[in-house]
Amino acid sequence: MVRRSDLELVRYVVGRLEDAGVRAWVFGGWAAELLGLSAPRAHGDVDLLYPADDFGAVDGFLARGDVQEIEAKRFPHKRAFEVDGVMVELFLVQADEAGLFTDFWGVARHDWPADVFEVEAGGLRVASARAVTGYRAGWDELQAKLQGRRSG
């Protein structure tokens, strides 16, 4: 049975990751809700941002077998797993001389605002409002670049 995610589940997931040495920030629909950018609603997944050079710590967490990895979503920029039938996705946020970014298959780069990791809401680390709205605003352009990768 697939259930909707609730705030208790978000806290549980973030806590489990934290216990494994993985510091993640709530992103996506949950971040929008916690920041007051959208009204409360049902959520089908949990999106998280993970600032690191690579997924080494996350892969170690997944290798323990405590959660079910969604291997079809294992990419250079993303890892995913299920908790109680709810999908959790972690997006890798790296840093270089130009700032913070996520590299989608070497084809599309999304640059994050400098304040992306400076917010806390509801007792959770949450991506900043600029990060959430900026990602949403650039979604169509990102998809167009990725579509070009698939057809090229």
Side-chain angles (χ1 to χ4, degrees), residues 5 15 24 30 32 35 39-40 46-47 49 52 74 77 80 83 90 94 96 99-100 109 123 125 129 147-149 152:
S5 73
W30 271 112
L35 294 168
V46 177
D47 296 318
L49 297 181
R74 177 180 271 259
H77 65 278
V83 173
L90 290 102
Q94 298 173 292
D96 65 11
L100 299 168
R109 175 183 168 124
R125 290 182 300 273
Q147 203 55 6
R149 172 194 170 266

Side-chain angles (χ1 to χ4, degrees), residues 17 31 45 48 50 68 70 80 84 95 105 108 120 133 136-137 139 143 145 148:
L17 289 166
D45 67 359
L48 303 170
Y50 174 58
Q68 179 64 48
I70 303 171
D84 290 346
W105 290 286
E120 189 173 301
T133 58
R136 285 181 175 173
W139 177 252
Q143 291 305 303
K145 287 179 183 177

Side-chain angles (χ1 to χ4, degrees), residues 13-14 17 22-25 27 46-51 55 57-59 61-62 67 73-81 87-93 102:
V13 166
V14 169
L17 289 166
V22 176
R23 291 191 73 203
W25 275 251
F27 183 59
V46 177
D47 296 318
L48 303 170
L49 297 181
Y50 174 58
F55 276 121
V58 173
D59 290 344
F61 168 76
L62 295 172
V67 296
K73 290 196 171 256
R74 177 180 271 259
F75 301 117
H77 65 278
K78 182 194 299 189
R79 294 293 190 271
F81 58 92
M87 180 173 63
V88 178
E89 292 184 298
L90 290 102
F91 293 87
L92 183 64
V93 178
T102 296

Side-chain angles (χ1 to χ4, degrees), residues 117-151:
F117 298 123
E118 295 178 5
V119 176
E120 189 173 301
L124 291 163
R125 290 182 300 273
V126 179
S128 69
R130 284 181 40 200
V132 173
T133 58
Y135 187 82
R136 285 181 175 173
W139 177 252
D140 289 338
E141 182 180 341
L142 175 63
Q143 291 305 303
K145 287 179 183 177
L146 295 176
Q147 203 55 6
R149 172 194 170 266
R150 291 183 192 117
S151 63

